[in-house]
Amino acid sequence: MRDPLTILTDAFTSFLFGKVETTRLPVRTSTGQAQAVYLPTAAPGLGDSGVIIGREVYSGKGYIYDPFQLYGQQLPAPHWLVLGESGNGKSALEKTYVLRQLRFKDRQVVVLDAQGEDGVGEWNLIAEELGITPIRLDPTAALDMGIRLNPLDPAITTTGQLALLRTIIEVAMGHGLDERSGFALKVAHAYVNETIVERQPVLTDIVEQLRHPEPESAEAMNVAIDDVRAWGLDVALVLDRLVDGDLRGMFDGPTTVGIDLDSPLIVFDLSHIDRNSIAMPILMAIVGVWLEHTWIRPDRKKRIFLVEEAWHIINSPFVAQLFQRLLKFGRRLGLSFVAVVHHLSDVVDGAAAKEAAAILKMASTRTIYAQKADEARATGRVLGLPRWAVEIIPTLTPGIAVWDVNGNVQVVKHLITETERPLVFTDRAMTESSADQLLGDDALRAAELEAEERAAYMEQQMNDPSSSSSSSSSSSRSGVA
């Protein structure tokens, strides 16, 4: 209780100077009602320099992303992982992202296109629009003077050639080479490179040397010639598959003349290869090493290497190790690796779990489209996503995804221009979705309207005092902001 002197002093002060302090009575309320006073805020954007992706759902702000602009400031590495079930817009995002990146003169993109219809890959229309001929690797066409890539191309260093040969063999065999087989391969490779100088050495030369090793090879190790031949027999049988088996024609001759490695977009069309066969990871390995030694150069260009069906890489220990080395070029030579995977469980539970974890760790950007609830929870655990993001992943509509850019987590709606739509929403260019989902302007506008209605509904839920569940969701998002 205040004493009379204090009351008299306050009254005299108020009379002379007016009342200087307002006493506000406390208000008791619930968090459901108080949330309307403290509105949720969206996380800050990634800046205004780079490629526009679309808009952030909760704030409506434009969402701009470019790994080359963000590297060193907000990103420790420029690599990107895209996840999500079929039909939700992964392919549309990849295509528009590449088209928008190519508007910068210092950008160059390589795409490994593993999907397709009507005899061509799904990137065929974009390549045609840009006046580019895809490098179509087809065993049938290769026999009729089609595209060839030579693992022994002189443009690849001898060390790179031997590493590539080992990787091909280990992928096909499903295990590493033992010391004796590795020695036989090394000796055969060295002999071929030393003796064949008038033309490009080819795989047939290696197979022939493994079957008929030179006596000098045995004498160097003080072993019998029959032992060296036996050590190299399994290696010869594996390489023979590339020469006279189901992959014949693509790698058993000199590299095709005229492949333009200076083109802004290079598309390797792998759509004629069975995606579930051992041929696919072998192809990935050969193309990866060939690009490492012939495409990536210290010329200050920013390069993007986009791989469809990337689980063929990450799920093979030997190919994954090869691509780990390739990813390290990101810091030194400006390479951004983009891996597109349907389910994270395809790789983290596979034979190359250790290698997969290393590659995932290098991907500082993760984009997750709609997944089933159990898959979303597993993805959230592996990638360390906040709980609110995991909860909304199963509810995402086509074209909307959760973006995690080195801890900056936002929900983004991908926007497509009128010019890009014919190249993105077609039977051949969008094989991962059904025709009634994403084809045509009417279907696209319907999807956009549904996404806008969902965003409006979520905003209403956040501001509705009677909704207790929205209070929890709102506070979670505010915590991320």
Side-chain angles (χ1 to χ4, degrees), residues 166-299:
R166 289 186 64 100
T167 299
I168 293 171
I169 295 163
E170 289 171 340
V171 169
M173 297 176 68
H175 59 79
L177 280 180
D178 59 40
E179 294 298 328
R180 295 182 177 185
S181 297
F183 171 76
L185 176 63
K186 178 182 176 181
V187 167
H189 176 252
Y191 181 83
V192 166
N193 273 344
E194 289 173 2
T195 58
I196 299 178
V197 294
E198 71 280 0
R199 59 174 174 83
Q200 283 191 18
V202 294
L203 288 179
T204 306
D205 301 320
I206 299 290
V207 174
E208 182 65 22
Q209 186 59 28
L210 286 167
R211 288 172 172 170
H212 306 288
E214 295 297 317
E216 292 82 358
S217 303
E219 294 172 1
M221 293 297 293
N222 195 26
V223 295
I225 189 69
D226 290 338
D227 290 337
V228 176
R229 184 182 297 109
W231 296 349
L233 181 60
D234 288 342
V235 175
L237 291 174
V238 171
L239 291 179
D240 185 66
R241 181 177 180 180
L242 300 180
V243 174
D244 196 30
D246 52 355
L247 295 178
R248 67 189 183 280
M250 291 187 293
F251 308 107
D252 56 342
T255 299
T256 300
V257 177
I259 295 178
D260 184 8
L261 293 179
D262 293 320
S263 172
L265 174 64
I266 304 170
V267 177
F268 285 90
D269 184 348
L270 311 181
S271 60
H272 286 258
I273 309 298
D274 182 2
R275 285 180 284 172
N276 297 314
S277 74
I278 193 63
M280 186 60 76
I282 290 177
L283 277 169
M284 296 280 189
I286 291 176
V287 172
V289 171
W290 193 74
L291 289 173
E292 176 186 349
H293 291 272
T294 59
W295 176 58
I296 300 175
R297 302 186 292 271
D299 54 6

Side-chain angles (χ1 to χ4, degrees), residues 13 79 83 113 238 335 359 394:
T13 303
H79 308 305
L83 292 168
D113 183 4
V238 171
L335 175 68
I359 290 179

Side-chain angles (χ1 to χ4, degrees), residues 136-177:
R136 185 164 294 118
L137 294 174
D138 182 354
T140 304
L143 295 175
D144 190 25
M145 300 304 293
I147 297 294
R148 283 188 173 90
L149 296 178
N150 184 12
L152 301 178
D153 192 316
I156 304 176
T157 64
T158 55
T159 301
Q161 292 175 11
L162 185 58
L164 177 54
L165 290 173
R166 289 186 64 100
T167 299
I168 293 171
I169 295 163
E170 289 171 340
V171 169
M173 297 176 68
H175 59 79
L177 280 180

